[in-house]
């Protein structure tokens, strides 16, 4: 039943889907249930309440769509905008590119602000556009918090500041797919109108829930948004929320129990501790990359991502070969370079339910692969650099002190 | 972690989500994997090939969307039709009603043919409409093969005959959610253009895959269909099929392995044996209902459904009370009456990976509940009627002979 | 990976191993752990405390051996007795026979009190022996609380009364394998010195833990017992109990978590409610047998077992054929007749995590099988009799009211 | 339900119980079954046949006891020997000590040959004893193939040579608990009479099966062996083997399916490849230890163990502190020093279903812990040494080439 078995654990370091913790796998190991019995609504109620915490919102309304991140994008856009609406969107890598493609196919008037891949969103241009938009033709700003293809984290606080500075009423729609629950994300504080993530990222679940969280302003916008939508319509959910049955169509029972378990683990660890752990993993990875004498695809420190690191390889090396060898020889799954950076970068995903020793095993593996493909790395150098930092910074596990 | 635990197994007899066989639960009990490694495409290839068998098609192209039946509906419609297109759609119960609601919200010009709930689609009216439509303004016929709310199975062969008789080019779109893999369904033979089902029905999986199968004619139609779509767009899938990577966005690894296991079980039993088993379960249920002196919501034998039986209760009894007691006292999950038949019917789902003794336990439970709510049933009468039939008709389990 | 798959659930009605509840299966679905870390001792401590509750003892000392019931027997005997010791032991069926065989091979002087199979222990003879034993040569009374082969429950309270009446110091060793956690069992009240059970019986776990509970008097006896023992020695456990590490050798991590979950479910339902549920299941089964016109192997009502019913078949029918057909045609697992009653009885196990509708499915199946093999049963008769009783006696599920 | 949860995977590097591969966890994720149905004997038959392969025997008879290694020891001894029999047994560490303790408590006349902990069995003394034993008073040689406490592997081929040289008929009883299925073990070639292992070691299962394999000579010996035994008696098994039902008492259904899956994985990888993988893991670990400037508890290369490495720490460091920190800070489980080497060594278990990157994560962790406790290790040094070797020696995963 297993395809291409290899001995020992698979070392899963793609930036999604990520490792699922055992307690979550256990929680999902179950038969179906009637979702119209009192049990599922009772559980759903706790989920809707608790899921807001990972967005750091008290005023938002969450929707848990049986879909992927792509579906969550579509839900965010179609519920708040009408065909022809002008939106400003930042193209900084493959996932922002795909979102823009979706925006265009959904018939919005997309004002694309492009950056070189490896750079963050160009907020200077945003400032200019906002300054110039006295008529408020811009209906929404669409921005990916963390571009998974290049390992670039955008500064959302600044986006909010600019909107406030220019008193611009545009909605702020944020793709938090590879950030929420791993990076510092503050929906209410940053005035994010729609934020979204997917279950298979930092929540460490299987794929299958696209969580979309709408601010009161976004909900208001949904009343007049003319984009055609049915499956992704918030309004159907809101109707069932009022009825207390919560689901306009059948949810995955297993994923609901899994989400319950995943949130319980996150709260047990503490969301801020989870974020701090990701910071440690990100820093350790970057120190290793530096020790190997390689460059981070992310061009400036301000954009460094704590969930994924895209590593540039020397011109004579094909990064695809690195990813292939990782899987074929070391049972290690790394992320490919995509589109413009195909062959040029490989990616180490370090998000989700992951600890430092898991990462160090991966880094040791990368060193051997680099040597395999002819890059003159000093074996142990990256691990040493990472350990030097980690040994000073890993906290005791609170439950075990 | 479990809500409202009761001793022993839950007896799950809602018409979806249904019981998942243990080997399928086992197959899904796993960590995430990189869906871009060679393993997942290799498995996906076998799934796409094998899933066609349950539609009985060799010429169709299947799409396995990470969504529910509602999403599968949306995909079927938006890929083949343009806003304003005239479609004929049959309203015979809650699920056909919901599909029609979706059709209207997607801006099609829906020509609704309504029947009394408990009756099948009115094909005489279809004949009239086709006869009158010399200009071929009707672009599609939308029909639910098995209406889950009333337990009515429509005659698709007749629909095809009518279309052929009038040489009408309208597309034939079929909701097979509670039929495919349980009832006799023949996509190619009946000239169905789009057929769809959901994983949590007769496939006996968790919710999360909406399978849509398109005929060559439907694929052709998709090239000119102007409905806006991105997440549900077949074209994105077709692109990735060509690349051999298959997935435009992240699938659920667990559901893919689950589908592999589910199909393996179905093929081991034999699809025709699966269908015969459903026929036995349906017949046995109807015999019990008759023995209880109750009426089937389905008004004529030609429409009897082998996947769900909606049982009419006497006027002085509230069927909702029956469903509540079933759960609260007997750990039995029955289906509620919906919308027009709320309070008037309760439903016994008998589809998916289910055997006769499971059904008999359910029927015995229903007898006790009927007595609980004051209906003068003769205890044992329904079980006796069902057993008299089953004892003559259950085959030996082939692997155990 | 599955042998001889059949559609739907297997209906498991052998008197062990029994159905495992889903939450327990989930709890065991895990990797190994270091049993010397602080986690496992912490959990073991709660288990040792809680397991005493199912024996209804506060003064006993439990031992959880990685073994089966047969091993638990051996532990009970070798820790309390010396070769040559005279013990009185009751032969009333296959399992008491096997225990006696073990007692003899362990070199005790076994005074066997035999009853016809289907009768309980002959306590009149016990009374005589005790009365005559002024020299207290009898060191132990060995009795099976519930003989699984014939469905006979012995009266332990009477045994205790006799011992007290004759002020006899013999140890009272009880096999509670198919009784504890299902039948009323009172270690302290009845002055049981060693009681034992196996995890795969009413605890509803996999095979693998033999739980032996020793009274202070039994512990005292273990100090001078000369039977050779190492693996089954209580003393090794007691040493590790003092150290707080609890395990002289490696336990099954999975079974410990499973036992934790199993006990949690039992306490959630309430041990007395669990016992009452078994009484309902036993009564319902016997009513069905009566309605079928068949005889219970158990000859008197006072010995009726609420965990297993052995059904006598007419002389011209081979009960083995019934068990074979159950499995081959109905995916139903019944218990064979063993040894003296082979071919003459089949057994319905109704113990563990089981509810009434599960049992009714089994009873309906048995009716069909009886018809299959030529017994003129009235289909529905047993189910009707069982339902008539159950419908008046099943309580609401407390968590769902 | 989880005790002392920590984020990410637990890094399990105790020398047992070891990591269970996911396919095996899946295979065991199931309800109980009737072990008297045809399915379980059919599967058992394949297991008994296949399990012989991991002992490299064609003439041996395997027994799969529901017990631990300690129980397997007891079975090996009591089935082949009689109280008072003289046996030669080697004391070289904690596990040989425990076995000797058992031998003595089972009333054998144990001729103990002691070595300093860290050394192998003193075979010179064995030679002397054999040479002197013209009367063949030595009935058995008992030897631990791999002493788990000190990481010492004994040379069994030499033991056989000595026995042959002196034409001595003593039985050769081997504890293969931490060797079989990981180290090169050749039951037939080395004339081993009884070999045994436990499921939680290199087979990578939960605890619960003690596998004992008996040569024809051992089976012959069992006919006259007078040690009292019931639960562990081979003869009961042999009776049921003949009947084709295989089990004298209830086995763990879950472990049987687990063993089936475990063997399938081992044969898929190839037993010799499994052994080669352990050799790589052992070599890599020893290179790391050397690079750290620490000593291996094992005093000579000829005794180096490829399944466990016991690392000596400098006198001023308490190795217990290392193990505690590993668990409390790094979610890493290492083995404690036991008895004579308590506080002096910590142990890295590197056996079972484990790959190189897992080991490297562990080694990186150990480096940080060494620094934590004040040992002046060069971070990265051990990993570098291990990688330098591994990068040249890891083969491609055959299924992925």
């Amino acid at each position: 039943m297993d395809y291409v078995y290899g001995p020992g654990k698979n070392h899963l370091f793609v930036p999604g889907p990520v490792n699922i913790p055992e307690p979550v796998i256990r929680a999902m190991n179950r038969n179906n249930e009637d979702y119209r019995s009192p049990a599922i609504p009772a559980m759903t109620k706790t989920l809707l309440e608790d899921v807001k915490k990972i967005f750091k919102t008290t005023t938002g309304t969450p929707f848990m769509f049986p879909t992927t991140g792509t579906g969550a994008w579509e839900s965010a856009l179609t519920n708040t905008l009408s065909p022809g609406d002008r939106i400003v969107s930042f193209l900084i890598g493959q996932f922002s590119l795909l979102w823009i493609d979706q925006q265009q196919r959904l018939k919005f008037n997309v004002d694309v602000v492009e950056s070189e891949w490896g750079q963050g969103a160009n907020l200077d241009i945003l400032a200019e556009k906002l300054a110039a938009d006295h008529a408020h033709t811009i209906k929404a700003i669409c921005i990916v918090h963390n571009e998974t293809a290049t390992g670039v984290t955008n500064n959302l606080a600044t986006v909010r500041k600019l909107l406030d500075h220019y008193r611009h009423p545009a909605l702020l729609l944020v793709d938090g797919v590879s950030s929420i629950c791993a990076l510092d994300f503050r929906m209410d504080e940053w005035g994010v109108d729609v934020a979204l993530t997917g279950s298979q990222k930092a929540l460490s679940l299987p794929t299958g829930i696209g969580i979309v969280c709408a601010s009161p302003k976004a909900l208001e916008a949904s009343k007049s948004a003319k984009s055609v939508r049915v499956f992704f319509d918030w309004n159907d959910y809101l109707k069932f929320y009022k009825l207390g049955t919560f689901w306009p169509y059948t949810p995955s029972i297993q994923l609901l129990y899994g989400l319950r378990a995943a949130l319980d683990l996150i709260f047990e660890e503490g969301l801020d501790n989870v974020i701090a752990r990701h910071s440690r993993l990100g820093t350790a990875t970057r120190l290793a990359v530096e020790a190997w004498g390689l460059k981070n695809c992310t061009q400036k420190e301000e954009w460094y991502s704590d969930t994924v690191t895209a590593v540039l390889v020397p011109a004579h090396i094909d990064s695809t070969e690195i990813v292939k060898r990782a899987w074929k020889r070391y049972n290690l799954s790394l992320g490919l370079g995509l589109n413009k950076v195909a062959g040029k970068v490989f990616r180490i995903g370090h998000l989700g339910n992951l600890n430092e020793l898991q990462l160090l095993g991966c880094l040791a593996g990368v060193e051997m692969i680099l040597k395999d493909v002819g890059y003159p790395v000093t074996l142990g150098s990256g691990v040493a650099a990472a350990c030097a930092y980690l040994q000073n910074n890993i906290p005791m596990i609170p439950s075990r002190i």
Side-chain angles (χ1 to χ4, degrees), chain A:
Chain A
M1 205 46 188
D2 267 298
Y3 282 77
V4 290
Y5 166 73
K9 298 266 174 208
N10 172 254
H11 300 264
L12 185 60
F13 285 86
V14 295
V18 306
N19 293 289
I20 308 174
E22 269 202 24
V24 175
I25 291 179
R26 267 197 294 283
M28 294 186 298
N29 180 46
R30 62 175 66 233
N31 195 11
N32 282 327
E33 281 184 39
D34 176 19
Y35 74 105
R36 293 287 179 225
S37 88
I40 299 302
M43 181 166 61
T44 303
K45 200 161 183 281
T46 74
L47 293 174
L48 288 171
E49 212 43 59
D50 284 348
V51 95
K52 291 199 286 185
K53 296 175 190 166
I54 65 167
F55 289 86
K56 292 199 176 159
T57 183
T58 58
T59 59
T61 300
F63 304 97
M64 304 186 295
F65 286 95
T67 189
T68 69
T70 304
W73 280 346
E74 191 155 327
S75 182
L77 297 167
T78 56
N79 279 280
T80 53
L81 299 166
S82 303
D85 276 357
R86 181 183 173 203
I87 60 181
V88 175
S89 207
F90 299 91
L91 198 177
I92 66 168
Q94 179 65 7
F95 292 92
S96 39
L97 175 72
L98 288 172
W99 198 16
I100 287 166
D101 172 63
Q102 185 186 65
Q103 291 154 12
Q104 289 168 335
R105 287 160 69 186
L106 291 172
K107 311 292 187 200
F108 306 120
N109 173 13
V110 191
D111 193 344
V112 177
V113 180
E114 190 162 358
S115 301
E116 198 182 327
W117 289 33
Q119 297 190 348
N122 190 329
L123 301 186
D124 294 338
I125 294 186
L126 175 64
E128 286 168 26
K129 285 183 190 285
L130 291 175
D133 186 32
H134 305 295
H136 294 168
T137 60
I138 301 172
K139 296 302 174 202
I141 313 297
C142 293
I143 187 165
V144 168
H145 188 199
N146 187 77
E147 169 58 60
T148 318
T150 54
V152 162
T153 305
N154 285 313
N155 191 329
L156 298 181
T158 300
V159 175
R160 171 45 56 201
K161 267 183 215 151
L162 290 174
L163 283 165
D164 287 353
H165 178 78
Y166 294 105
R167 305 193 178 196
H168 199 288
L171 293 164
L172 176 53
L173 311 188
V174 176
D175 165 342
V177 169
S178 60
S179 79
I180 287 168
C181 229
L183 306 184
D184 187 23
F185 183 84
R186 310 177 185 201
M187 182 163 177
D188 283 3
E189 187 180 327
W190 296 340
V192 173
D193 290 302
V194 188
L196 60 92
T197 189
S199 51
Q200 82 278 18
K201 298 286 182 168
L203 274 166
S204 302
L205 284 162
T207 307
I209 312 184
I211 307 179
V212 180
C213 200
S215 74
K217 189 171 150 192
L219 280 190
E220 194 55 37
S222 76
K223 293 177 187 165
S224 53
K226 296 208 163 33
S227 293
V228 165
R229 61 199 181 269
V230 182
F231 181 79
F232 290 121
D233 199 339
W234 297 347
N235 206 39
D236 294 79
Y237 277 82
L238 291 171
K239 257 190 265 174
F240 281 83
Y241 286 6
K242 270 191 197 137
L243 293 172
T245 51
F246 292 106
W247 295 103
Y249 36 68
T250 320
S252 162
I253 301 301
Q254 291 72 19
L255 284 175
L256 294 185
Y257 279 100
L259 179 56
R260 183 65 269 162
L263 291 171
D264 288 347
L265 290 184
I266 287 163
F267 299 149
E268 180 173 345
E269 186 177 357
L271 180 55
D272 288 337
N273 293 332
V274 170
I275 293 167
R277 177 166 51 76
H278 281 87
S279 163
R280 278 199 303 282
L281 295 170
T283 303
T285 306
R286 291 188 293 270
L287 288 167
V289 172
E290 201 184 318
W292 296 332
L294 291 175
K295 286 225 171 319
N296 197 319
C297 175
T298 317
Q299 295 182 8
K300 286 191 193 164
E301 196 176 331
E302 58 175 298
W303 298 315
Y304 280 166
S305 164
D306 283 336
T307 55
V308 56
T309 299
V311 184
L312 282 164
V313 297
H316 64 285
I317 292 174
D318 178 3
S319 68
T320 305
E321 190 54 30
I322 288 174
V323 175
K324 278 191 189 166
R325 285 192 83 84
W327 193 68
K328 287 188 176 180
R329 194 178 188 202
Y330 301 96
N331 207 352
L332 168 64
S333 297
L334 297 172
L336 286 162
L338 300 172
N339 200 330
K340 280 200 185 176
V341 291
K344 297 180 185 165
V345 313
F346 67 91
R347 291 175 300 147
I348 301 172
H350 33 76
L351 75 165
N353 195 276
L354 191 73
N355 60 33
E356 292 82 2
L357 265 53
Q358 288 177 277
L359 179 67
L360 291 168
C362 164
L363 296 178
V366 170
E367 297 188 2
M368 291 192 287
I369 300 159
L370 288 172
K371 193 131 200 183
D372 284 357
V373 298
Y375 178 77
V377 73
T378 303
L379 289 176
S381 59
V383 171
C387 282
Y389 163 75
L390 290 171
Q391 192 258 333
N392 280 314
N393 287 282
I394 297 176
M396 301 300 272
I397 299 170
S399 61
R400 298 187 182 173
I401 297 175

